Amino acid sequence: MLGCTTGHRFDLARQGYVSLLSGRGTAHRSDTADMVTARTRVFADGLYSPLQDAVARACIDPAPGIVVDAAGGTGAYLAAALGGSERIGVSLDLSKACARAAARVHPRAISVVADLWSAIPIADGVAARVLSVFAPRNPAETARVLAPGGAWVIVTPNPGHLAEIVEPMGMLRVGEGKSDRLEADLRADFVVEQTSVVTARRELSASRLADVAGMGPAGFHRTRDELAAAARALAGDGSVAATLDVTLTVARRR
Ligand SMILES: C[S@@+](CC[C@H](N)C(=O)[O-])C[C@H]1O[C@@H](n2cnc3c(N)ncnc32)[C@H](O)[C@@H]1O
């Protein structure tokens, strides 16, 4: 059990994570167990490894401090960021299914269920890096937990991301105005230090295609059977090509 100075007590789940949600829970939607299983298979096949490598490179830094993966999902990016360093990492996610996966992702990773919109449950100024990968962002809380000189590593999809499969698989398009929203999030407390585009072409079998669609928002509104049928129609017994196309932004806290 964990406790705080104001007397709250939080149980450690058998699966190795701690939930900091209050009894009232949350109104927000978070990833389901099926989405986590799909995501785990996609990552195990290395389909997103160029992106995980890019995040890891953005976290190489001798400065002290922990790494916080905000809305970290299965914690795969956190594990890449911790790599061989001595750092400790914390994966935060609203989803218990994600927290279960993140609890096993790296020996120096701690997994926490928390709602990013309330607060990031981390002390002021202790993080060398905060990661926001395909994730909701809370700029004020991110600035608060970053150490002076620490950096926010953000991954956002470009319009070409998975463009070949978005429509046939019933996935969401990248919304217009995403880069404006990022700029607005960074304006008050951050200076952009680096932006890079990461692209990679992937061959997806029908089952991996269903996973790539099902691990994202399509997993909320299409059943696994619907996704599998759409994937078979597209890839048959072979495969279909899809392009990863994202922007990685490193923004330093002022
Ligand atoms: C698209 S997934 C990205 C996960 C991970 N960063 C990755 O790329 O593998 C978005 C994540 O945000 C989490 N999430 C959504 N709303 C949240 C909130 N209010 N607080 C914390 N996590 C949240 C979801 O549960 C999900 O794991």
Side-chain angles (χ1 to χ4, degrees):
M1 183 179 284
L2 297 183
C4 77
T5 48
T6 51
H8 297 105
R9 294 287 175 267
F10 305 95
D11 285 333
L12 272 172
R14 251 184 312 121
Q15 295 94 343
Y17 66 86
V18 62
S19 174
L20 301 182
L21 289 184
S22 72
R24 275 177 289 121
T26 169
H28 303 293
R29 187 167 67 168
S30 63
D31 283 14
T32 64
D34 277 352
M35 291 163 82
V36 169
T37 305
R39 188 175 293 265
T40 303
R41 281 194 292 252
V42 168
F43 290 165
D45 276 2
L47 292 170
Y48 277 56
S49 49
L51 187 45
Q52 284 154 6
D53 293 346
V55 168
R57 281 194 299 276
C59 294
I60 296 172
D61 182 349
I66 64 171
V67 180
V68 178
D69 195 352
T74 60
Y77 294 90
L78 178 64
L82 294 176
S85 74
E86 296 299 307
R87 282 189 174 137
I88 288 179
V90 180
S91 181
L92 305 177
D93 204 284
L94 190 53
S95 153
K96 282 188 182 168
C98 287
R100 277 193 287 274
R104 299 188 298 264
V105 82
H106 191 282
R108 272 178 283 104
I110 296 162
S111 176
V112 174
V113 178
D115 183 355
L116 209 55
W117 296 131
S118 314
I120 297 181
I122 300 280
D124 296 358
V126 298
R129 293 287 184 279
V130 174
L131 313 180
S132 295
V133 182
F134 301 115
R137 297 188 293 268
N138 184 333
E141 279 292 285
T142 300
R144 180 184 64 74
V145 303
L146 274 171
W152 193 4
V153 178
I154 301 163
V155 173
T156 47
N158 294 328
H161 184 56
L162 303 176
E164 303 90 338
I165 63 169
V166 163
E167 204 168 304
M169 293 303 293
M171 297 159 71
L172 294 188
R173 290 183 181 288
V174 173
E176 283 185 12
K178 273 220 167 197
S179 54
D180 293 347
R181 279 202 296 281
L182 177 58
E183 235 177 88
D185 283 355
L186 297 176
R187 200 167 295 139
D189 295 310
F190 295 91
V191 180
V192 173
E193 186 176 86
Q194 182 205 326
T195 47
S196 48
V197 172
V198 181
T199 58
R201 205 172 156 77
R202 296 330 221 180
E203 286 295 328
L204 303 176
S205 64
S207 65
R208 226 34 96 235
L209 184 53
D211 285 338
V212 167
M215 72 187 206
F220 288 123
H221 58 83
R222 302 197 78 185
T223 65
R224 177 80 202 162
D225 285 349
E226 285 169 347
L227 290 169
R232 268 196 311 276
L234 198 58
D237 291 332
S239 65
V240 67
T243 308
L244 304 186
D245 182 358
V246 304
T247 296
L248 185 144
T249 303
V250 179
R252 214 37 87 175
R253 206 195 107 178
R254 283 186 212 277

